[in-house]
Amino acid sequence: MATRQNSSSGKPKSPRIQVVLPEELCLRLTALAEDESRTVSNMAKVLIQQGVQRYEQGGDRQVAPRADAHQSSTEQLRNALESKQTGRLRGAPRRVRLHRPN
């Protein structure tokens, strides 16, 4: 769900969302924004608006091909690590002692 913040005057700001993009897609978005003299976030807003309109009109309702086949090995590794559950640490962290060479 989008988060809504208040400005310093107390007036509510527009809703915000947080998105994580692969580096390649971020570079492409940045290039598009520079071509149109926009900020990256404004360009993302415009593209999201266009995509939502197209989706609502029925243009994007077909099944998309699996993206897993085209993921880079870095993205596959990242996804695998992020999907693992984290375990709780046992006990307090141990103090590390560094020995100076003589």
Side-chain angles (χ1 to χ4, degrees):
M1 172 154 215
T3 58
R4 185 177 290 269
Q5 300 173 338
N6 291 329
S7 65
S8 58
S9 65
K11 181 180 174 187
K13 292 182 177 180
S14 297
R16 307 288 200 253
I17 61 170
Q18 185 176 11
V19 179
V20 178
L21 301 176
E23 287 185 39
E24 178 186 331
L25 182 57
C26 188
L27 292 173
R28 291 168 55 196
L29 179 62
T30 303
L32 288 172
E34 288 176 4
D35 289 346
E36 294 197 13
S37 300
R38 297 178 183 266
T39 63
V40 175
S41 63
N42 182 262
M43 189 73 219
K45 180 187 96 167
V46 169
L47 293 174
I48 290 170
Q49 286 173 333
Q50 291 174 356
V52 168
Q53 287 173 350
R54 201 174 307 143
Y55 184 83
E56 289 174 344
Q57 293 171 355
D60 285 347
R61 298 206 181 201
Q62 66 234 12
V63 177
R66 287 190 50 120
D68 294 342
H70 301 293
Q71 284 184 333
S72 70
S73 61
T74 305
E75 289 174 359
Q76 289 174 351
L77 175 62
R78 182 181 301 131
N79 290 338
L81 291 173
E82 288 176 348
S83 66
K84 287 186 178 181
Q85 290 187 354
T86 57
R88 292 187 53 105
L89 296 176
R90 296 186 180 130
R94 296 182 182 169
R95 187 174 192 158
V96 176
R97 293 187 181 196
L98 300 176
H99 298 283
R100 292 188 186 156
N102 293 332

